[in-house]
């Protein structure tokens, strides 16, 4: 299957999955490789035969949906974002919790993949902020649609490429290094709870002070679905809660539910 054939197929298939082609343009190689492997598994000669197969076997669309999940992640991805979370956002949330007499800051990491983002939050809180807020604790709910990625997150062992962006002092504190693998120390694991969930269909119970929805909804999903999910996220946030998008993402146009704090860093607050 050539790149042009794969592009043509994705431009046809993605809207039927409520996804948008522009989000896949630069990362299509990952998806095309999986689709080509699926053709080999099915013994199909070409991508046109796969289109016919989808028409005759509608249950195959669910599998194709799983093939279109893009997983590009690492600890401390986008350094300035996590620096801002550490220096400004989390301390503000901690002070607000104290003022309101709460003892827990609730965070939600959406599309948490193999755990790099929620574990980063746990490391930052314990190693940088916890000493200043001994009366508070951070609880992170991490939701991910792919159960295989959740298994990897629970294992919490990563290659050097996954932890290279994490500041060295935090990397040394948080991980045991054996050969070419970094294993997260168990003391962080009580702070993060992983749950299999697809944001398109369900949302977790409770409300959150901080929601990280980075490089998923506002990159890959069609705009109508983005609007629906944005309203659902707003309903899940505490007053003046924070929403963090990917640095290359933007909220849908003409929305007034969130105040832009830094569009460059993807930082928003509930209006």
């Amino acid at each position: 299957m050539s790149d042009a054939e794969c592009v043509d197929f994705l431009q046809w298939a993605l809207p039927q999955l409520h996804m948008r082609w522009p989000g896949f343009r630069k990362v299509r190689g990952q998806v095309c490789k999986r689709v080509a492997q699926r053709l080999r598994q099915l013994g199909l000669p070409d991508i046109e035969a796969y289109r016919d197969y989808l028409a005759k076997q509608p249950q195959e669309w669910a599998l194709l949906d799983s093939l279109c999940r893009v997983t590009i992640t690492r600890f401390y991805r986008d350094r300035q974002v996590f620096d801002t979370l550490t220096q400004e956002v989390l301390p503000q949330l901690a002070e607000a919790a104290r003022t309101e007499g709460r003892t827990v800051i609730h965070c939600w990491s959406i599309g948490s993949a193999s755990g790099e983002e929620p574990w980063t939050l746990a490391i930052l809180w314990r190693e940088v902020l916890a000493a200043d807020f001994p009366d508070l604790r951070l609880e992170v709910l991490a939701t991910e649609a792919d159960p295989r990625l959740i298994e990897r997150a629970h294992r919490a062992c990563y290659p050097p490429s996954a932890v290279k962006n994490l500041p060295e002092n935090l990397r040394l504190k948080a991980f045991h290094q054996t050969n070419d693998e970094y294993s997260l120390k168990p003391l962080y694991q009580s702070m993060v709870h992983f749950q299999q969930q697809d944001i398109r269909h369900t949302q977790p119970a409770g409300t959150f002070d901080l929601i990280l929805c980075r490089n998923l909804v506002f990159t890959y999903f069609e705009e109508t679905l983005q609007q629906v999910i944005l309203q659902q996220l707003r309903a899940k946030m505490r007053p003046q809660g924070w929403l963090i998008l990917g640095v290359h993402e933007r909220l849908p146009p003409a929305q007034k539910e969130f105040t832009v704090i830094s569009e460059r860093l993807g930082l928003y607050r509930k209006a």
Side-chain angles (χ1 to χ4, degrees):
M1 179 175 59
S2 69
D3 179 67
E5 289 172 329
C6 183
V7 168
D8 182 66
F9 172 75
L10 291 177
Q11 289 177 334
W12 168 78
L14 288 170
Q16 301 180 66
L17 295 168
H18 303 291
M19 298 183 188
R20 52 193 293 270
W21 158 248
F24 287 83
R25 183 179 289 111
K26 293 183 180 180
V27 296
R28 65 182 181 269
Q30 187 178 133
V31 177
C32 291
K33 183 178 179 180
R34 294 174 186 161
V35 172
Q37 183 180 15
R38 181 59 178 161
L39 264 62
R40 292 192 293 271
Q41 289 173 345
L42 294 171
L44 297 176
D46 52 39
I47 196 66
E48 290 304 317
Y50 189 49
R51 291 197 200 208
D52 293 338
Y53 186 83
L54 285 163
K56 296 173 183 176
Q57 304 289 338
Q59 71 274 11
E60 178 70 14
W61 283 98
L63 192 144
L64 177 60
D65 180 89
S66 70
L67 299 181
C68 293
R69 294 175 189 151
V70 178
T71 54
I72 302 173
T73 184
R74 55 189 175 273
F75 283 80
Y76 224 78
R77 183 181 181 183
D78 302 316
R79 177 180 295 270
Q80 278 192 287
V81 173
F82 279 101
D83 286 346
T84 304
L85 282 170
T86 307
Q87 297 164 13
E88 300 179 29
V89 177
L90 287 171
Q92 287 183 30
L93 292 174
E95 293 293 354
R98 272 182 171 173
T99 300
E100 296 168 15
R102 294 185 286 118
T103 59
V104 181
I105 300 170
H106 292 282
C107 304
W108 178 15
S109 172
I110 301 172
S112 58
S114 45
E116 290 87 338
E117 180 177 272
W119 289 137
T120 297
L121 285 174
I123 292 168
L124 290 173
W125 179 264
R126 185 176 183 91
E127 301 302 336
V128 182
L129 294 166
D132 293 330
F133 302 98
D135 52 330
L136 298 175
R137 70 181 189 274
L138 186 79
E139 292 184 1
V140 184
L141 175 64
T143 58
E144 167 58 46
D146 190 335
R148 295 167 299 178
L149 292 177
I150 293 177
E151 288 179 11
R152 288 173 55 188
H154 279 136
R155 183 169 175 263
C157 294
Y158 301 91
S161 59
V163 301
K164 66 179 182 180
N165 285 8
L166 196 64
E168 184 179 10
N169 66 314
L170 297 179
R171 189 167 64 244
L172 292 173
K173 289 179 179 179
F175 291 91
H176 294 296
Q177 183 181 3
T178 55
N179 298 323
D180 289 330
E181 191 170 63
Y182 288 80
S183 299
L184 188 70
K185 295 178 180 178
L187 55 89
Y188 303 96
Q189 299 189 16
S190 64
M191 301 172 62
V192 180
H193 173 67
F194 290 92
Q195 183 174 323
Q196 185 181 353
Q197 195 170 82
D198 189 328
I199 184 62
R200 292 171 295 181
H201 307 306
T202 55
Q203 296 81 41
T207 55
F208 299 89
D209 302 281
L210 170 65
I211 296 178
L212 293 94
C213 185
R214 304 199 305 150
N215 309 305
L216 176 62
V217 173
F218 301 101
T219 295
Y220 302 112
F221 295 174
E222 65 181 7
E223 188 172 305
T224 301
L225 184 55
Q226 291 179 12
Q227 294 279 9
V228 171
I229 292 176
L230 184 63
Q231 294 302 318
Q232 294 169 341
L233 296 183
R234 187 177 187 277
K236 286 290 176 185
M237 299 178 72
R238 295 183 63 84
Q240 292 293 299
W242 287 78
L243 174 66
I244 315 298
L245 306 188
V247 295
H248 299 297
E249 294 179 315
R250 299 293 181 267
L251 288 181
Q255 68 79 31
K256 299 180 181 180
E257 293 85 1
F258 290 86
T259 301
V260 179
I261 304 302
S262 172
E263 194 170 66
R264 182 175 63 87
L265 298 179
L267 307 180
Y268 302 83
R269 292 194 79 174
K270 182 177 180 179

